[in-house]
Structures are given as C-alpha cells and as structure tokens.
Amino acid sequence: GRTVVCTIHQPSIDIFEAFDELMLMKRGGELIYAGPVGHHSCEVIQYFQAIPGVPRIKDNYNPSTWMLEVTSTSMEVQLGADFAQLYRESSMCKDKDMVVKRLSVPVPGTTDLHFATRFPQKFREQFKACLWKQCLSYWRTPSYNLVRFVFITLSCIFFGALFWQQGNINHINDQQSLFTILGCMYGITLFAGINNCQSVMPFISMERSVVYRERFAGMYSPWAYSFAQVAMEIPYVLMQVVLFMLIAYPMIGYAWTAAKFFWFMYTMFCTLLCFVYMGMVVVSFTPNIQFASVLSSMFYTLQNLMSGFIVPAPVSEPI
C-alpha cells in the first residue's frame, strides 16, 4: 500500500519485474520511457521492439540488460534515431501528459495538505533514533575507535616511561623539576588531544552526505543528529581517560588521593572532549576534509600559545 521510488541499474530479472512502473533516462537525463513494466516485462519489450532496427530480445535474457544495450548511444548512432524524441512523439508520452494535467487540478472542495510539524516524530524520538544509529555506527567503525584506544595506550606507556615518577612530590625540589612535570602534563594532553581532533574529522566528513540526504527527507532535524553525535563521544572519551589514569597516572607518580585523582581525571576528560568537539565543529563549517585539516592546524597553534606553558601568565610582584 505504499509507493516506493528508487533508482536501479541492471538488476536481476526478479527484482526488475517486481516494479510496476519504469522511468528510463538516457545519458544526459532525457526521458526515453515512462510507463508500465508489464508481466514478464512485456510492456517495455513491446515498446522498444516497435522501434525500427532495434534487435529483438533473446530467450531468457535479462530485460533490464537488453534495454540498456538497445538504448545506448552507439545504438542511437547506428539507428540514426533519438530515443528521447521518439518518446516525446509517442502516444504513451501524450497519455502521461494528459494524466498529469488531470491530476494537477484539485478536486472542488479540497484544501491543500498541511503538516503541523516538519518532522513526523518529536525531538525526543529523533534524538533516540539518532543516538541508536550512532551507537551502531561507532561500534562498526574499529578503524576510528579501536585505533584511538591503541594510540592512547601506547602514548600513556611512552610518556609514563619518559617521565617515570617525575610527578612524585618528593622529586619536585627545584624549578626545573616543576617545569618538567608541567611539560609532561602539557605534552600528553596536547598529544592525545590533537590525535582525537584529527581522527574525528574524517569520520564526521564521511557521514556528511548521509546526514544531508536524511535531513532533506525529513527524518530528523540537524539538532537531534548533532546532540546524538556529541553524546556518543562521551563514553568513548571517558574510556580513553580511564586508560590514561590506569597506565600513565601511576607511572608518572602523581598523588594517590581521591580529590587529586578525580580532579585530574575530570580535567583530562573535559580537555579531550574539547579537542574532539573542535574537530567536529571545524569539519562541519568547512567544505572538505583537506580545508578542515589546514584550519585545525591554525587552531592548534593558537591553543599552544594561549595554554600558559609556552607563554606563561605574568606573575605579579609582591608588595
């Protein structure tokens, strides 16, 4: 009881004959057939075989394949015919035009269709559907999620070995020791953050065409998809931070008090989320992934200058 419109190209016989109506266009988008398929594709075959010079279809041959062969550009040149012009002059085209004109006139007493909302579902349902879609999409993309988990694990081991017990308060006795541990915090945060930002951009860019298509179809609003995308990153970034706290935190020798542990975890979590969301914003505002990568590099430079490590904040002199 539903009208289904889709594009097909050389389907099997069973799939092709499952359709009731066919609109066939040649290269350039000109219509060369618009009518019923018929039982065993008899209507389509009968129409094209009625054109002088078109070879007859062989027994048990796929009608869709035959149809594309006999309407090719080389066949038009061979026959000296224009299939688009032949269709415009056919009775089938004239009958279609009459049907269109008849159906274009509204029945007296009817009113225009009106929908109270643009989308068939409320925002909550749209968000739930988009969130479920993102769960499946993230789970089925190990090239994005698994790679960043492996990256953060190796980074934690590397930084933990490089700054072994440098964060222990007993080892911070002079200015150089303090700068060393501050550089450790700065380096691992920036290292992991930039990787998150760079890895999320291709993933978001790949889904852009799908989002445009489904939004124009009225499936969900951009806000529902955006909030679902933002929310879906939270558990994955949290797992990255947990890996850091289990591997790098004890190796570097930070203090094992609940307040300092969870405060450091919270800060790291928010920082990595900011990098991920920055990558999403940049790729959403740019036309392609190449331009997004160049623009994000500029943001990295600005962040480095304003992070307070390369250019420290001024220290006020005591009175």
Side-chain angles (χ1 to χ4, degrees):
R2 295 296 184 96
T3 300
V4 178
V5 181
C6 66
T7 58
I8 55 175
H9 183 74
Q10 287 187 266
S12 65
I13 297 177
D14 295 333
I15 294 177
F16 181 71
E17 292 181 351
F19 290 91
D20 302 313
E21 299 277 335
L22 171 69
M23 293 182 65
L24 178 63
M25 292 180 290
K26 71 174 186 178
R27 188 182 298 275
E30 292 185 281
L31 197 63
I32 61 176
Y33 183 84
V37 175
H39 184 62
H40 295 317
S41 308
C42 62
E43 297 287 348
V44 179
I45 296 173
Q46 182 179 354
Y47 173 82
F48 285 109
Q49 285 186 346
I51 300 175
V54 172
R56 300 182 63 85
I57 187 172
K58 300 177 183 178
D59 294 337
N60 300 321
Y61 199 71
N62 192 335
S64 62
T65 303
W66 171 83
M67 180 179 57
L68 294 177
E69 291 175 353
V70 299
T71 58
S72 62
T73 305
S74 59
M75 183 61 69
E76 280 189 327
V77 174
Q78 181 179 340
L79 299 178
D82 184 357
F83 285 106
Q85 183 64 30
L86 292 175
Y87 172 75
R88 287 192 292 265
E89 296 174 353
S90 66
S91 59
M92 181 182 296
C93 180
K94 297 176 183 177
D95 293 341
K96 292 291 182 183
D97 290 340
M98 292 178 61
V99 172
V100 170
K101 291 179 182 179
R102 177 170 56 83
L103 297 178
S104 299
V105 179
V107 179
T110 58
T111 58
D112 294 337
L113 290 175
H114 174 72
F115 299 96
T117 59
R118 178 181 176 184
F119 304 100
Q121 296 291 338
K122 296 181 179 179
F123 180 83
R124 179 181 178 183
E125 299 300 324
Q126 297 176 36
F127 175 74
K128 288 168 58 178
C130 290
L131 188 61
W132 177 246
K133 172 188 174 183
Q134 291 297 337
C135 287
L136 295 177
S137 180
Y138 272 59
W139 181 254
R140 295 170 180 173
T141 315
S143 58
Y144 171 49
N145 290 302
L146 184 61
V147 168
R148 62 174 171 171
F149 287 146
V150 172
F151 180 87
I152 194 68
T153 303
L154 296 178
S155 299
C156 289
I157 296 174
F158 175 78
F159 276 91
L162 185 63
F163 294 95
W164 180 263
Q165 296 301 312
Q166 293 296 316
N168 193 322
I169 192 65
N170 297 322
H171 294 171
I172 304 177
N173 302 316
D174 52 14
Q175 187 182 50
Q176 182 58 49
S177 300
L178 179 62
F179 284 163
T180 299
I181 194 60
L182 290 177
C184 171
M185 294 180 182
Y186 168 80
I188 194 168
T189 304
L190 188 68
F191 201 61
I194 290 179
N195 175 72
N196 276 12
C197 184
Q198 288 294 127
S199 60
V200 77
M201 288 193 293
F203 181 75
I204 299 298
S205 180
M206 285 191 303
E207 291 196 349
R208 186 192 305 228
S209 58
V210 179
V211 174
Y212 287 162
R213 182 186 65 197
E214 294 181 348
R215 189 190 67 181
F216 292 147
M219 297 184 66
Y220 49 76
S221 68
W223 288 108
Y225 176 84
S226 300
F227 280 122
Q229 185 87 67
V230 167
M232 197 63 245
E233 280 290 341
I234 293 176
Y236 285 90
V237 173
L238 182 60
M239 284 189 280
Q240 285 185 289
V241 176
V242 169
L243 286 173
F244 172 83
M245 301 303 292
L246 294 178
I247 300 174
Y249 193 89
M251 293 178 68
I252 297 174
Y254 291 125
W256 279 99
T257 60
K260 293 182 178 180
F261 180 87
F262 287 107
W263 183 249
F264 194 102
M265 182 177 178
Y266 169 76
T267 306
M268 192 75 177
F269 174 69
C270 292
T271 304
L272 292 185
L273 271 183
C274 286
F275 273 97
V276 172
Y277 293 158
M278 187 188 74
M280 291 182 177
V281 170
V282 170
V283 80
S284 298
F285 283 127
T286 50
N288 51 59
I289 186 63
Q290 291 79 14
F291 188 39
S293 299
V294 174
L295 191 61
S296 62
S297 300
M298 182 186 70
F299 288 146
Y300 300 151
T301 304
L302 294 177
Q303 285 178 324
N304 287 341
L305 294 176
M306 300 179 183
S307 63
F309 181 75
I310 297 179
V311 182
V315 180
S316 59
E317 294 288 341
I319 298 176

